[in-house]
Each structure stands twice: as C-alpha cells, then as structure tokens.
Amino acid sequence: MQTRPLVGVIACRREVEGHPAHMVTDKYLSALRDYGLAPVILPVWEDAVEGDLLAHLDGLLLTGSYSNVAPRRYGAERAPENTRDDPHRDAVALACIPAALDLGLPLLGICRGFQEINVAFGGTLHQAVQGVPGLLDHREPAGDLEACYAPAHDLTILPGGVLAALYSRPDARVNSLHQQGIAELGPGLVAEATAPDGLIEAVSVAGAPAFALAVQWHPEWRPREHPLYHALFRSFAEACRTRQATGAALDSQPA
C-alpha cells in the first residue's frame, strides 16, 4: 500500500501556559490531509534545517501567521503598525526556502509564507499596506470566521505563468487577511497575479525544478469550495506525489 507523501509544515513559536510551543493551525494540516498528503510539523529550532530532515520530505508548506517577518531581515526600520514577531520562525523559514529549492522539493507559501519567500529572494515588504497611497486596505473585516475568509477582492491572473497554467480562468475572487505585502519583488521571482490596486498577490520561483508557488491569500480555507484554491492544492499534491515516486525510484537504484 502506497503511503501518503510527507509534507513538512513550518510551525510558529508561541508561548502556551508559560512554555514555548511550536504550533500550526489545524486548517493547514486538514487541507493537506484532504488532498492525500501527510503533514509533518517542523519545529522552529535554529538548527532545524541542519542534517537531512528536508531530504526525507516530499514537499514543504510555509503557512500564514499572525506574526510578521522582522523588518531587519529586509533592511527596513520597524513601522509602528508592525508589532508581532517570531524570530525563530524567521530564521528557520529563510534557511528552509533555499534548502528546499536546492533539493527540488515542491514548495507552497501562504500569506506569511508568501512574504518569507519574497524576503528570502532579496525582496522587501510594505509593513502596513493600508497606509500606502494608492493601495487598498487588505486586512480582514471584523466578524466571525465566515466573514473573515469570505472573498474580498478580485484577482487578476497574469497570462503565461505557472498559476495561469493550473487555473483556466484569467480572474477570481479571493479572501484577504493581511496587513503586509510585497513592496519590491525579489530577484528570481515572477509575479503571477495582482489585486485591483496592483499589489502582487502570487509569485513563482523562476526556473524551479518543481512546483514553487506562493500566494498572499488563504487557499487552505475550505479549498474544495473554491475552484482556484482547489487548483492550487491539487497541483501541489500532484507535485508531492511525483516527488515521492521519483525519490523512491532513486533510492532503489544501486549505489
């Protein structure tokens, strides 16, 4: 019986009852499981990327979070609106991204993960999009989860890209739950979609050997109910299964 592909899911480090804890919101894990993948939570110890841990995985997911990438990571001073840090996650995420790409692992970034990939490639971030002239307020509305994750704005999918290849329509409506966003796109990344105000909402890694895509919105929220979210997770899962099969074939070859 074939096992499910293993997907590493980066954790956030938070304090729970006075103790440091490594945490992942269930919605990310459930979405992976629903698409036939086996999630493995990756702790954010500073030496977590050392050794061959990533080589045993079939994919990597960088989740969203209430924390932000520290502005010093992209050479900026802290804005007053930027109040939540996770330096442990910063260190591990920014080390995991190039390591995963070097291994040819399928990579999916969501929200903070999208921003981490941009910073890893030398890009910069707006720390408070709502204060930038010409940009919309992309923060989630007040209310329950249904209101927070409801489609909030249109999305233009740029032609000829990775996202356009896995989703047949040129546009969609997506949710919006972020204060930060891409200011300067990192070299080596390709813009795949934009919001109505021109803010980049999806990127791919140019020349990546496997699926390497990141989005600013939250496709893990009920992905089977939204054609674009479904297409993202379906394609990521297919890439992870291909990685699993290819890795198994290579492992079986004589040295």
Side-chain angles (χ1 to χ4, degrees), residues 155 157 163 166-167 172 174 217 219 223 226-233:
L155 182 80
I157 297 171
L163 191 59
L166 62 88
Y167 184 68
V174 297
W217 66 91
H226 192 295
L228 176 57
Y229 304 176
H230 173 63
L232 281 166
F233 271 96

Side-chain angles (χ1 to χ4, degrees), residues 141 150-154 173-176:
H153 65 68
D154 291 334
R173 282 187 64 80
V174 297
N175 54 41
S176 188

Side-chain angles (χ1 to χ4, degrees), residues 164-233:
L166 62 88
Y167 184 68
S168 60
R169 291 182 55 84
D171 51 37
R173 282 187 64 80
V174 297
N175 54 41
S176 188
L177 297 92
H178 61 102
Q179 174 174 267
Q180 302 206 332
I182 288 181
E184 181 181 353
L185 185 65
L189 297 179
V190 178
E192 296 281 344
T194 58
D197 56 5
L199 190 68
I200 296 172
E201 290 265 328
V203 299
S204 63
V205 177
F211 183 105
L213 192 63
V215 300
Q216 182 63 83
W217 66 91
H218 284 265
E220 80 283 358
W221 181 256
R222 299 178 180 171
R224 292 194 181 275
E225 297 179 12
H226 192 295
L228 176 57
Y229 304 176
H230 173 63
L232 281 166
F233 271 96

Side-chain angles (χ1 to χ4, degrees), residues 37-205:
L37 305 172
V40 179
I41 298 175
L42 301 180
V44 285
W45 294 311
E46 289 191 5
D47 61 352
V49 187
E50 296 178 6
D52 61 352
L53 173 61
L54 291 180
H56 292 283
L57 300 175
D58 303 305
L60 178 65
L61 173 64
L62 302 173
T63 70
S65 175
Y66 282 106
S67 69
N68 299 311
V69 179
R72 69 176 182 83
R73 294 284 185 174
Y74 48 95
E77 296 294 325
R78 183 178 299 276
E81 298 90 345
N82 191 356
T83 59
R84 295 185 177 184
D85 289 330
D86 188 341
H88 300 277
R89 171 157 172 173
D90 286 351
V92 173
L94 296 179
C96 272
I97 291 163
L101 292 169
D102 285 345
L103 289 168
L105 283 181
L107 174 65
L108 175 59
I110 294 174
C111 199
R112 190 194 211 268
F114 166 85
Q115 296 163 10
E116 288 166 342
I117 289 173
N118 190 54
V119 172
F121 274 80
T124 63
L125 303 175
H126 295 300
Q127 297 179 56
V129 170
Q130 68 275 9
V132 178
L135 296 184
L136 301 171
D137 188 340
H138 287 256
R139 294 172 295 180
E140 64 270 29
D144 59 14
L145 289 178
E146 295 291 339
C148 287
Y149 286 94
H153 65 68
D154 291 334
L155 182 80
T156 299
I157 297 171
L158 303 179
V162 175
L163 191 59
L166 62 88
Y167 184 68
S168 60
R169 291 182 55 84
D171 51 37
R173 282 187 64 80
V174 297
N175 54 41
S176 188
L177 297 92
H178 61 102
Q179 174 174 267
Q180 302 206 332
I182 288 181
E184 181 181 353
L185 185 65
L189 297 179
V190 178
E192 296 281 344
T194 58
D197 56 5
L199 190 68
I200 296 172
E201 290 265 328
V203 299
S204 63
V205 177

